[in-house]
Amino acid sequence: MTKTPAAIAAALALSIAVGSAAQAQAAKKPMEKCYGVSLAGKNDCKAGAGTSCAGTSKIAYQGDAWKLVKAGTCTSIKTPKGNGSLSAKS
């Protein structure tokens, strides 16, 4: 069976469109800030006084540093210091 260039191009265009739609859907998933679950230097933002933003936490599971997680999962994330929290802890 021979494939024409048009058929190959159509198949390629369809696969690109499907991949783009999947990425767009994944980007729209609701997320929430979850405090106390990031490793040192792996926080998304806000790591307490004296720090600026992403990647600035000095301590793993720092209570005032957050990471974006899928909405509804934060408080079920277990760490050596307890569970994730929807609010900052000192």
Side-chain angles (χ1 to χ4, degrees):
M1 177 161 86
T2 59
K3 295 183 180 179
T4 66
I8 294 171
L12 181 59
L14 179 61
S15 67
I16 290 171
V18 169
S20 295
Q23 287 177 340
Q25 183 66 11
K28 291 182 183 178
K29 286 183 181 176
M31 304 292 278
E32 65 189 1
K33 292 179 184 179
C34 187
Y35 291 87
V37 298
S38 64
L39 296 175
K42 301 292 183 181
N43 62 302
D44 284 332
C45 208
K46 183 82 171 126
T51 61
S52 58
C53 205
T56 59
S57 62
K58 303 291 184 203
I59 303 165
Y61 315 112
Q62 188 171 325
D64 56 358
W66 58 265
K67 191 91 174 144
L68 279 179
V69 299
K70 189 167 70 170
T73 64
C74 178
T75 57
S76 64
I77 297 172
K78 296 185 185 321
T79 74
K81 294 186 176 184
N83 288 13
S85 173
L86 294 173
S87 59
K89 300 176 189 175
S90 300

